[in-house]
Amino acid sequence: MTDTDESTLASFAITPSSPNTSPSKEQIQPLPWYKRLDQNRNTLLVVASCAQLLDIISIASVTIALPSLLRDVHYEQNQLQWVISSYALTYSAFLLVGGRMGDLFGHRRAGAGLTIPSALALLTTSYPLGPERNFAMLVFGGAGCTGQTIGILIGGIFDATIGWPWIFYITAILATLVGIIGFLTVPKTEDGIHVTDRRVDYIGVFSFVLGIIAVVYYLSESTTAGWGSAQTLAPFLVGVAVLVFFVFWEYRIEYPIMPFRIWTSVRLRASVVIVICVTTTYNTLIFYTSLTFQNVLLFSPLITACCYIVHGVGLGLGLFSLNKLYAVVRTKLLMIVGLFFVIISAIIFAQIVPGSGYWHYAFPALIVNCIGLPLAWMCCQVNAVADAPDEDQGVVGAVFNVAIQLGGPIGLAISAIVNDKYTTGETPTGFMDGYRAAFYGMAVMGAVGLVFVVLLAANQDPIEFKGIVEELKTVDGISSSEEKDVEQTV
């Protein structure tokens, strides 16, 4: 029976008959529509993208309301970055847990730290490596861009009208809806994934969560409490010690939460390092442009939110143009070009002065950034999961997203240091002196990422990126050994 026949029969219920007879057409009844929702991978793509959309909305909507939070919650100016970093702290701590639990027990059963690695693994196991998977990943990434724009708009509108606390109420409502839809549409099991040992590494889970929380706390809080303060240094040392123990434990245990075999992939190692640099620039961009628009250009929260519409739309357009570029341009070259544009955008942002309009510097800087960011980010993402077998897709996706979340606090910590050093007063000019230094710091972070691309990124892409193997299989048929020969030739 062909795969098509099996998928077709999966949409029908067979009325029991004699064990020695085949079911007749009258005995084959179509399943109700709500029982067929988990049999369409495009529906799965929509649900996974909604999970990504919601997680980005959660953080983006808060970013735009930071000045109001400062006023209403009585934060100090240098404590604002902790609002963002605290989300990264809890998010990153549970990413690896969620990814591995999904690999072991199914991604339907796997907070944001649990949804994203499972959503990513569902896509990578449902779509084969090559153009199909790349397109699915672009849709997934496009949902993040859309979430960024929607989140900022929600934050600006609510902050200007019914109040910023409603940001969290709406997020809770949306999370409930996505959870219900996901329960109906995500398959209970993943065909083709065979995990015989389902024991849970509880010691690894606990040590990883504790270590990551302590390290991210240090990166986030040290800018206000001091890098050598006992308040931050003691948890950091404990966190480092616990993570060292985690590595030692994972090497020894037979059922690790993070199998170290995943690190044999050059593409994964390079993608993790590079995406940390990319997200340091991105988080610095969103954080300090929001403050620049409101504290230097004196825009209202609603106007500030509208300023990012062009960025969200541009990111979406940039993402969907990538699918054709993969077939003709190496991802290493695309990342180099992308980070170059990110660096240029940071330099343009640094030219803003009090009284300059949105169209003078901010608008062109956002355009330049939305050209470069998708190139760097998405090339990292498709390369990170390219070499992983299906049973490791969840944990690989989780590791990649841990790197993304670590980049945020690192970027904000670095930019906060230079911002605090160069801020000359609580006036538009004084604020901009500090923000300008932060934007130049963003450019340096992008340059570091550019160096890592040159040194670490693989020189050749998987042959499936160009769709050559799939085309040969379709036209002439090709064996696995022949596939390797084609890849070596290309």
Side-chain angles (χ1 to χ4, degrees):
M1 182 180 291
T2 66
D3 293 339
T4 304
D5 294 334
E6 291 177 353
S7 62
T8 301
L9 286 179
S11 301
F12 293 86
I14 301 176
T15 305
S17 60
S18 172
N20 297 322
T21 60
S22 300
S24 64
K25 293 183 178 180
E26 291 75 14
Q27 291 174 317
I28 302 178
Q29 302 295 329
L31 290 173
W33 66 270
Y34 57 86
K35 290 188 177 181
R36 300 197 304 269
L37 291 175
D38 61 353
Q39 297 168 7
N40 188 321
R41 65 179 183 176
N42 292 327
T43 303
L44 189 63
L45 174 58
V46 172
V47 174
S49 299
C50 284
Q52 169 85 324
L53 179 79
L54 178 61
D55 288 332
I56 301 300
I57 286 176
S58 299
I59 191 64
S61 55
V62 176
T63 302
I64 205 69
L66 286 176
S68 298
L69 280 167
L70 174 70
R71 180 187 65 247
D72 297 342
V73 188
H74 307 294
Y75 280 161
E76 297 294 332
Q77 183 71 32
N78 58 5
Q79 292 178 314
L80 276 184
Q81 57 98 16
W82 177 242
V83 177
I84 306 300
S85 296
S86 60
Y87 182 86
L89 187 154
T90 53
Y91 183 89
S92 58
F94 290 99
L95 275 168
L96 185 59
V97 179
R100 195 55 180 162
M101 292 304 100
D103 286 338
L104 294 177
F105 301 108
H107 296 286
R108 181 178 183 175
R109 305 181 187 180
L114 304 182
T115 58
I116 289 303
S118 291
L120 190 58
L122 283 167
L123 295 182
T124 52
T125 55
S126 299
Y127 291 87
L129 182 62
E132 283 188 275
R133 182 188 292 182
N134 291 343
F135 178 76
M137 301 291 278
L138 291 175
V139 173
F140 187 70
C145 299
T146 304
Q148 179 71 39
T149 303
I150 293 175
I152 289 176
L153 287 173
I154 288 176
I157 293 171
F158 285 2
D159 188 31
T161 54
I162 58 180
W164 58 263
W166 270 94
I167 294 172
F168 302 102
Y169 299 146
I170 291 297
T171 301
I173 294 171
L174 293 176
T176 302
L177 293 175
V178 172
I180 294 173
I181 296 172
F183 182 81
L184 294 173
T185 58
V186 176
K188 294 181 181 179
T189 59
E190 284 73 63
D191 296 333
I193 299 179
H194 305 288
V195 180
T196 57
D197 191 344
R198 297 184 184 274
R199 290 177 291 176
V200 179
D201 176 18
Y202 291 108
I203 294 178
V205 170
F206 177 78
S207 58
F208 178 80
V209 170
L210 178 61
I212 286 293
I213 286 178
V215 171
V216 176
Y217 173 81
Y218 177 75
L219 294 173
S220 303
E221 193 67 8
S222 292
T223 55
T224 56
W227 294 95
S229 168
Q231 175 186 343
T232 56
L233 188 58
F236 173 72
L237 295 176
V238 170
V240 170
V242 170
L243 289 177
V244 170
F245 168 78
F246 170 76
V247 173
F248 171 77
W249 177 259
E250 295 298 288
Y251 265 118
R252 292 179 58 86
I253 199 170
E254 295 179 355
Y255 48 97
I257 190 173
M258 186 178 70
F260 280 91
R261 62 178 178 268
I262 67 175
W263 294 108
T264 59
S265 169
V266 174
R267 293 186 179 90
L268 175 62
R269 296 198 301 268
S271 296
V272 165
V273 174
I274 295 167
V275 85
I276 288 176
C277 298
V278 174
T279 51
T280 59
T281 66
Y282 181 64
N283 282 269
T284 301
L285 167 76
I286 297 300
F287 186 84
Y288 282 99
T289 52
S290 175
L291 296 179
T292 299
F293 290 151
Q294 297 181 69
N295 293 338
V296 177
L297 301 183
L298 305 180
F299 294 164
S300 68
L302 183 57
I303 296 299
T304 298
C306 293
C307 290
Y308 291 100
I309 293 177
V310 64
H311 193 246
V313 174
L315 286 177
L317 294 175
L319 283 171
F320 285 102
S321 66
L322 265 176
N323 207 35
K324 295 182 178 179
L325 289 177
Y326 287 140
V328 294
V329 183
R330 286 183 297 159
T331 53
K332 182 171 185 175
L333 180 58
L334 291 175
M335 286 189 281
I336 291 174
V337 174
L339 281 167
F340 176 77
F341 276 97
V342 168
I343 294 169
I344 296 300
S345 70
I347 295 174
I348 297 175
F349 274 121
Q351 310 311 309
I352 294 176
V353 295
S356 61
Y358 170 72
W359 305 101
H360 292 158
Y361 299 109
F363 178 79
L366 288 171
I367 292 293
V368 171
N369 186 266
C370 68
I371 293 174
L373 187 62
L375 297 175
W377 192 310
M378 289 306 301
C379 288
C380 286
Q381 183 162 293
V382 296
N383 275 290
V385 298
D387 297 333
D390 285 352
E391 60 268 22
D392 288 337
Q393 286 289 342
V395 70
V396 168
V399 167
F400 180 74
N401 279 278
V402 168
I404 290 175
Q405 294 307 313
L406 287 177
I410 292 172
L412 291 179
I414 295 172
S415 57
I417 292 172
V418 295
N419 172 62
D420 293 345
K421 181 177 180 179
Y422 288 96
T423 297
T424 56
E426 296 189 358
T427 63
T429 301
F431 281 134
M432 192 59 215
D433 290 337
Y435 300 161
R436 183 176 296 109
F439 286 128
Y440 282 127
M442 170 184 163
V444 173
M445 298 175 213
V448 172
L450 190 59
V451 172
F452 281 134
V453 171
V454 174
L455 296 178
L456 302 179
N459 290 320
Q460 297 295 331
D461 293 329
I463 192 63
E464 291 86 351
F465 279 17
K466 301 183 184 301
I468 296 175
V469 172
E470 286 77 2
E471 184 177 345
L472 288 174
K473 287 179 178 178
T474 301
V475 178
D476 298 320
I478 182 172
S479 66
S480 58
S481 61
E482 290 171 331
E483 180 177 335
K484 292 180 181 179
D485 292 339
V486 172
E487 182 167 356
Q488 291 172 356
T489 301
V490 175

Short mmCIF file of all heavy atoms in Angstrom, two decimals, residues 6 28 121 126 137 149 168 179 214-215 233 237 240 250 253 287 326 369:
data_model
loop_
_atom_site.label_atom_id
_atom_site.label_comp_id
_atom_site.label_asym_id
_atom_site.label_seq_id
_atom_site.Cartn_x
_atom_site.Cartn_y
_atom_site.Cartn_z
N GLU A 6 -2.41 5.04 2.49
CA GLU A 6 -2.47 5.01 3.95
C GLU A 6 -3.04 6.30 4.51
O GLU A 6 -3.84 6.30 5.43
CB GLU A 6 -1.07 4.75 4.51
CG GLU A 6 -0.58 3.34 4.22
CD GLU A 6 0.85 3.13 4.72
OE1 GLU A 6 1.45 4.13 5.16
OE2 GLU A 6 1.34 2.00 4.68
N ILE A 28 -16.75 1.52 5.21
CA ILE A 28 -15.75 2.57 5.43
C ILE A 28 -16.45 3.91 5.55
O ILE A 28 -16.99 4.42 4.57
CB ILE A 28 -14.73 2.60 4.27
CG1 ILE A 28 -14.04 1.23 4.14
CG2 ILE A 28 -13.73 3.70 4.49
CD1 ILE A 28 -13.05 1.16 3.00
N ALA A 121 10.41 20.92 16.24
CA ALA A 121 10.64 19.51 15.95
C ALA A 121 9.51 18.92 15.12
O ALA A 121 9.73 18.07 14.26
CB ALA A 121 10.80 18.73 17.26
N SER A 126 8.15 16.56 10.07
CA SER A 126 7.03 16.44 9.13
C SER A 126 7.44 16.80 7.70
O SER A 126 6.85 16.31 6.74
CB SER A 126 5.87 17.34 9.56
OG SER A 126 5.38 16.98 10.83
N MET A 137 10.20 26.34 7.49
CA MET A 137 10.96 27.12 8.48
C MET A 137 10.80 28.61 8.23
O MET A 137 10.80 29.41 9.17
CB MET A 137 12.43 26.72 8.41
CG MET A 137 12.69 25.25 8.69
SD MET A 137 12.38 24.80 10.39
CE MET A 137 13.88 25.30 11.14
N THR A 149 5.61 42.55 15.12
CA THR A 149 4.83 43.73 14.74
C THR A 149 3.52 43.79 15.51
O THR A 149 3.15 44.84 16.07
CB THR A 149 4.54 43.71 13.23
OG1 THR A 149 5.77 43.63 12.51
CG2 THR A 149 3.78 44.95 12.81
N PHE A 168 -0.88 41.38 29.37
CA PHE A 168 -0.74 40.04 29.93
C PHE A 168 -2.07 39.28 29.90
O PHE A 168 -2.09 38.06 29.73
CB PHE A 168 -0.21 40.14 31.36
CG PHE A 168 1.11 40.86 31.44
CD1 PHE A 168 1.18 42.19 31.85
CD2 PHE A 168 2.28 40.21 31.08
CE1 PHE A 168 2.40 42.85 31.92
CE2 PHE A 168 3.50 40.86 31.14
CZ PHE A 168 3.57 42.19 31.56
N GLY A 179 -3.47 26.60 22.73
CA GLY A 179 -3.36 25.30 23.39
C GLY A 179 -4.48 24.36 22.99
O GLY A 179 -4.25 23.18 22.72
N ALA A 214 20.97 30.67 36.88
CA ALA A 214 22.01 31.41 37.60
C ALA A 214 22.88 32.23 36.66
O ALA A 214 23.19 33.40 36.95
CB ALA A 214 22.87 30.43 38.39
N VAL A 215 23.25 31.67 35.52
CA VAL A 215 24.12 32.39 34.58
C VAL A 215 23.37 33.56 33.93
O VAL A 215 23.91 34.67 33.84
CB VAL A 215 24.64 31.42 33.50
CG1 VAL A 215 25.35 32.19 32.39
CG2 VAL A 215 25.59 30.40 34.12
N LEU A 233 27.60 37.62 41.79
CA LEU A 233 28.75 36.76 41.55
C LEU A 233 28.58 35.38 42.18
O LEU A 233 28.94 34.36 41.56
CB LEU A 233 30.02 37.42 42.08
CG LEU A 233 31.35 36.72 41.72
CD1 LEU A 233 31.49 36.61 40.21
CD2 LEU A 233 32.53 37.48 42.33
N LEU A 237 28.81 31.82 40.10
CA LEU A 237 29.78 30.76 40.36
C LEU A 237 29.08 29.43 40.62
O LEU A 237 29.53 28.37 40.15
CB LEU A 237 30.67 31.14 41.55
CG LEU A 237 31.59 32.36 41.32
CD1 LEU A 237 32.35 32.70 42.59
CD2 LEU A 237 32.54 32.11 40.16
N VAL A 240 27.86 28.17 37.19
CA VAL A 240 28.93 27.60 36.38
C VAL A 240 29.29 26.21 36.90
O VAL A 240 29.47 25.26 36.12
CB VAL A 240 30.16 28.52 36.39
CG1 VAL A 240 31.36 27.82 35.75
CG2 VAL A 240 29.86 29.82 35.66
N GLU A 250 25.95 14.25 31.94
CA GLU A 250 25.39 13.86 30.65
C GLU A 250 26.31 12.90 29.90
O GLU A 250 25.85 12.07 29.12
CB GLU A 250 25.11 15.10 29.80
CG GLU A 250 24.04 16.02 30.37
CD GLU A 250 22.69 15.33 30.47
OE1 GLU A 250 22.07 15.10 29.42
OE2 GLU A 250 22.27 15.02 31.60
N ILE A 253 25.65 9.28 31.83
CA ILE A 253 24.33 8.64 31.90
C ILE A 253 23.94 8.04 30.56
O ILE A 253 24.36 8.52 29.50
CB ILE A 253 23.27 9.67 32.37
CG1 ILE A 253 22.02 8.96 32.89
CG2 ILE A 253 22.94 10.64 31.27
CD1 ILE A 253 21.05 9.90 33.59
N PHE A 287 15.20 47.08 22.07
CA PHE A 287 15.19 47.74 23.38
C PHE A 287 15.53 49.23 23.25
O PHE A 287 14.80 50.09 23.75
CB PHE A 287 16.19 47.04 24.29
CG PHE A 287 16.17 47.52 25.71
CD1 PHE A 287 15.25 47.02 26.62
CD2 PHE A 287 17.07 48.48 26.15
CE1 PHE A 287 15.24 47.46 27.93
CE2 PHE A 287 17.07 48.94 27.44
CZ PHE A 287 16.14 48.43 28.35
N TYR A 326 18.31 30.11 -1.27
CA TYR A 326 19.00 28.91 -0.80
C TYR A 326 19.51 28.06 -1.96
O TYR A 326 20.54 27.40 -1.85
CB TYR A 326 18.05 28.05 0.05
CG TYR A 326 17.75 28.59 1.42
CD1 TYR A 326 16.47 28.50 1.95
CD2 TYR A 326 18.75 29.17 2.20
CE1 TYR A 326 16.18 28.98 3.22
CE2 TYR A 326 18.46 29.66 3.46
CZ TYR A 326 17.18 29.56 3.97
OH TYR A 326 16.91 30.04 5.21
N ASN A 369 18.09 47.08 8.34
CA ASN A 369 18.12 45.97 9.29
C ASN A 369 17.24 44.80 8.85
O ASN A 369 17.62 43.64 8.99
CB ASN A 369 17.70 46.45 10.67
CG ASN A 369 17.86 45.38 11.73
OD1 ASN A 369 16.92 44.65 12.05
ND2 ASN A 369 19.05 45.27 12.29
#
